[in-house]
Amino acid sequence: MGDDLHTRLAPRVRELTAAVVARCAAEVPFYRDLPREALDGEVTRSVTAVFGLLLRSVRDPGSVGAADLTRIIEWSARRAEESLPLEAALTAYLIGAEVWWAALTEVAEPEEVAAAGAGLLGCLHTAVPAVALAHVQAQEDIRGEDRRVRRALLDALLEGLPYAGLAEAARVEVGGEHDVVVLEFGRAPQPRLVQSALDAYAGTLVLADPAAGLALLPVRPGGSLEALRRDCGATLAAAARATEPAAIPAAAEEARQVLDLVRRLGRPPGLYRFDDVLLEHQLARPGAGLTRLAAKLDALEEHPYLLETLRVFVHHGHNRRRTALDLHVHRNTLDYRLHRVTALTGLDLAVPAEARLLEAALTARELAPPRARP
């Protein structure tokens, strides 16, 4: 019976193949965009080969084995390398199954239909998982290679090395202005989520090392890097502008310095640029001046609550009401503490010049190396 059905189906393989190719070109966008020579060539050969396996399974059920599976995997991997989406590949197999089943029901005797249907399902059961696996693995290999090239491009840009060939291989445009952004996370970031947030912000693929918290973002008019920081789940972020690729290494170093500075200063979550910490950057330079300035608060070393009061008072811009609320103390208690700060340091917060000196001393104390403190 199998031989008879095989004999009836064999002459129709070319016709059925043409029907599958025509439907794929009409119904699947990927195939619709292929040139005619590709449809008549590689696509037709692939469909013919799969129908050959189905035809063999009619005569010899269960004959599709490991060698056939290997060929299917090779075909699928080649299609994936040509950017065939997995859903398009699976749709093509389903179209083929529909066309094959329609032909089977036309030529099969009633007693042959059940076995022929079981053979078709068996082939699909074998082929479809293999196709999906081959596609996923091939696409992962492609993405892995793409990531390697993009990372090499990012490294070249950060180190000021030649990058044109890598940019072409990565299919990334690196001309124009960029913001070099460094991110700090409260806990280990999820690289895929961070990369997705960066890509969504830029509207294109962003050169980034999410695990290291560094990204090279094309400048986008109206874009909010502070909103991006929140979307990435970062606690702190620092950014520096590079007007051309040659300026990227200096911008990256500036952003790293800013992030290090705001971290040492204990600044609240946010996005910072160099201008936000300009004074602190100057004060952070080590030397006798920094040590001497920090020493202005030595008298408060044994009174940590006074140091904290001064810090909160400065943070709130000398606003007594907000400072008292933040410290959970009465206004009279706050006034007493500030008076004690003046008495112990000899610097009066009511005198603008001396208040500025106290603020600078507080910053210097936060930045001075530990050995420079009493």
Side-chain angles (χ1 to χ4, degrees):
M1 181 169 57
D3 287 342
D4 291 342
L5 184 55
H6 178 279
T7 302
R8 279 173 261 148
L9 281 169
R12 300 192 59 183
V13 167
R14 180 176 296 182
E15 165 204 340
L16 300 178
T17 297
V20 171
V21 173
R23 281 192 56 185
C24 286
E27 300 174 21
V28 184
F30 176 85
Y31 290 103
R32 186 184 306 135
D33 295 335
L34 288 179
R36 189 71 244 176
E37 56 268 24
L39 292 171
D40 293 339
E42 185 66 17
V43 175
T44 295
R45 286 193 292 273
S46 296
V47 175
T48 300
V50 173
F51 276 166
L53 296 180
L54 289 172
L55 192 60
R56 177 150 52 91
S57 72
V58 170
R59 183 173 56 191
D60 186 8
S63 63
V64 177
D68 302 306
L69 204 58
T70 300
R71 283 196 291 273
I72 290 174
I73 289 173
E74 289 174 354
W75 299 332
S76 298
R78 285 203 301 271
R79 297 295 80 75
E81 290 168 0
E82 295 166 1
S83 302
L84 170 64
L86 177 57
E87 62 271 22
L90 296 178
T91 300
Y93 270 85
L94 292 176
I95 289 173
E98 289 174 4
V99 170
W100 185 255
W101 179 247
L104 274 174
T105 56
E106 287 176 11
V107 301
E109 299 295 336
E111 65 273 12
E112 296 174 320
V113 171
L120 173 59
L121 292 175
C123 285
L124 288 175
H125 182 76
T126 300
V128 170
V131 169
L133 179 61
H135 256 74
V136 170
Q137 289 179 338
Q139 289 172 348
E140 279 297 320
D141 290 343
I142 293 168
R143 282 193 288 268
E145 178 62 17
D146 287 346
R147 283 194 295 268
R148 186 195 67 78
V149 174
R150 290 197 300 271
R151 178 57 190 272
L153 173 59
L154 178 62
D155 289 344
L157 290 166
L158 291 172
E159 295 170 17
L161 299 175
Y163 63 86
L166 289 168
E168 183 178 356
R171 302 180 298 280
V172 173
E173 174 59 49
V174 294
E177 290 187 318
H178 286 77
D179 278 317
V180 181
V181 179
V182 288
L183 304 162
E184 179 165 287
F185 299 89
R187 55 185 179 181
Q190 298 184 38
R192 287 189 178 182
L193 296 181
V194 174
Q195 184 71 56
S196 296
L198 294 170
D199 294 345
Y201 170 85
T204 186
L205 194 63
V206 170
L207 292 175
D209 182 353
L214 188 144
L216 189 59
L217 287 160
V219 173
R220 196 190 79 181
S224 170
L225 291 178
E226 167 58 17
L228 173 64
R229 174 196 69 80
R230 294 193 298 268
D231 292 342
C232 288
T235 53
L236 293 171
R241 181 68 52 86
T243 56
E244 58 180 353
I248 288 173
E253 180 58 26
E254 178 182 307
R256 290 189 184 104
Q257 288 183 9
V258 171
L259 184 65
D260 178 66
L261 195 55
V262 297
R263 183 193 301 119
R264 291 164 61 191
L265 289 168
R267 290 290 177 87
L271 175 106
Y272 296 86
R273 292 186 181 269
F274 190 73
D275 284 354
D276 297 321
V277 289
L278 201 54
L279 175 62
E280 292 84 348
H281 181 268
Q282 290 302 107
L283 290 174
R285 296 185 175 185
L290 181 65
T291 303
R292 188 164 181 174
L293 189 57
K296 294 290 184 182
L297 299 181
D298 284 356
L300 303 182
E301 185 68 28
E302 296 181 0
H303 308 280
Y305 70 97
L306 294 180
L307 271 173
E308 178 62 16
T309 298
L310 177 60
R311 184 177 295 109
V312 175
F313 185 63
V314 168
H315 173 71
H316 287 304
H318 296 204
N319 185 301
R320 278 175 158 76
R321 184 184 67 83
R322 292 177 61 188
T323 302
L325 288 172
D326 198 345
L327 293 172
H328 305 290
V329 298
H330 193 272
R331 282 282 297 273
N332 290 340
T333 302
L334 174 62
D335 290 341
Y336 170 76
R337 290 185 182 183
L338 295 177
H339 176 75
R340 289 281 290 155
V341 169
T342 296
L344 290 170
T345 63
L347 298 170
D348 191 347
L349 283 163
V351 179
E354 295 183 8
R356 287 195 296 271
L357 188 58
L358 273 173
E359 290 184 25
L362 188 62
T363 300
R365 179 182 175 80
E366 292 172 334
L367 296 175
R371 62 177 177 277
R373 299 179 185 175

